Amino acid sequence: MTQKDTRNKRPSRFRVAFMFILLTILLVVTPYASWYYLTKGLDYRKAQLALLDDFGTMPSGNWLAMNGDSIDTELWSGQITLIVISSNLEQQQINLEGIQRLHTQFHDRSDVRFYHFVPEEIQSDNSAFDSDSMLTTAILPKEEFLRFADQWSGLIKKGIENQLILIDRSLQVRQAFSLNSEKSLKEVVQVIAVLLPPKKVERPSLIRESEK
């Protein structure tokens, strides 16, 4: 074999440089990028969870919804529950507008539910929500409503006016967010997204010719 043939079989400088760059990307850049985005994701999750507190286990109860269904808190385990209490028409309007905005973010999640409690002397209007909405309204007698509102106000250690009370999947009361604050509404969406488990996606199945 001639010297010329030997030179021709050596890898070119361009190819050597290309292989070096490729190995650098595979061994250095890719692991660093993965670590960076994982760290950012963990930091984001920690930041959202830091917005929450622990006010104890939610009080148990059973009420009749406006549509005739039973509202039983024993069945709330495994879902994100959001309680809204409206004591007058003005509060109700603000609260329903806030709920509707949040509803658009989680309308495809069966494990996010809103419960709206009002006294019987005001008429609740759920016309903005469709029939299969995640919003359930309970109209309570005045005395029962006042006891209910006082119980929650004492539990979260703050006023409940235009507040959205968040209960996690293990029935722990975690926080109360304002429904008339843009910043607070964004925080609610971010916190719920962190608390929710990933949405299950059905595996595609192959349809046999005989089944078509």
Side-chain angles (χ1 to χ4, degrees):
M1 183 179 294
T2 65
Q3 186 178 359
K4 182 177 181 181
D5 293 336
T6 304
R7 285 198 305 267
N8 289 340
K9 290 192 175 183
R10 290 177 181 170
S12 66
R13 289 183 179 178
F14 174 79
R15 186 176 179 184
V16 171
F18 174 77
M19 293 300 293
F20 175 78
I21 293 172
L22 182 61
L23 285 173
T24 301
I25 292 174
L26 291 175
L27 299 177
V28 179
V29 177
T30 302
Y32 174 79
S34 299
W35 171 84
Y36 175 79
Y37 285 109
L38 178 62
T39 303
K40 293 290 286 185
L42 290 174
D43 289 344
Y44 175 81
R45 180 179 176 82
K46 289 179 181 178
Q48 302 314 311
L49 294 178
L51 297 174
L52 301 177
D53 208 327
D54 188 357
F55 298 100
T57 304
M58 67 159 295
S60 60
N62 194 305
W63 304 275
L64 188 65
M66 194 170 67
N67 60 5
D69 294 340
S70 175
I71 301 175
D72 186 357
T73 58
E74 298 295 327
L75 304 177
W76 289 1
S77 178
Q79 69 180 31
I80 299 296
T81 303
L82 301 137
I83 289 180
V84 178
I85 302 170
S86 299
S87 59
N88 56 60
L89 289 174
E90 183 181 357
Q91 281 187 23
Q92 177 178 256
Q93 182 179 354
I94 295 172
N95 289 342
L96 289 178
E97 288 175 358
I99 293 173
Q100 189 174 11
R101 293 182 63 183
L102 294 173
H103 177 273
T104 60
Q105 299 290 327
F106 301 102
H107 64 90
D108 60 341
R109 297 290 307 225
S110 61
D111 49 359
V112 177
R113 299 292 305 177
F114 293 87
Y115 293 89
H116 183 210
F117 292 86
V118 298
E120 59 186 357
E121 63 263 25
I122 70 172
Q123 183 65 40
S124 183
D125 180 15
N126 295 341
S127 58
F129 300 89
D130 49 44
S131 58
D132 61 346
S133 168
M134 61 181 73
L135 172 67
T136 302
T137 297
I139 300 177
L140 306 182
K142 183 176 181 180
E143 293 302 320
E144 184 179 353
F145 174 83
L146 291 175
R147 287 195 300 270
F148 179 82
D150 286 343
Q151 184 180 33
W152 281 102
S153 181
L155 183 67
I156 63 175
K157 306 295 189 300
K158 64 174 73 173
I160 57 172
E161 182 176 342
N162 304 128
Q163 297 288 339
L164 179 80
I165 302 168
L166 187 148
I167 301 163
D168 68 17
R169 300 167 69 238
S170 59
L171 301 182
Q172 298 299 304
V173 182
R174 302 303 303 275
Q175 194 51 273
F177 296 90
S178 173
L179 281 167
N180 55 1
S181 163
E182 187 71 26
K183 179 177 180 291
S184 185
L185 287 174
K186 289 180 180 179
E187 289 176 346
V188 174
V189 173
Q190 293 166 349
V191 166
I192 294 176
V194 167
L195 292 177
L196 283 175
K199 189 175 180 181
K200 293 182 179 179
V201 179
E202 294 184 4
R203 293 182 178 180
S205 57
L206 181 64
I207 302 176
R208 299 175 183 175
E209 282 294 327
S210 58
E211 297 176 350
K212 292 182 180 180

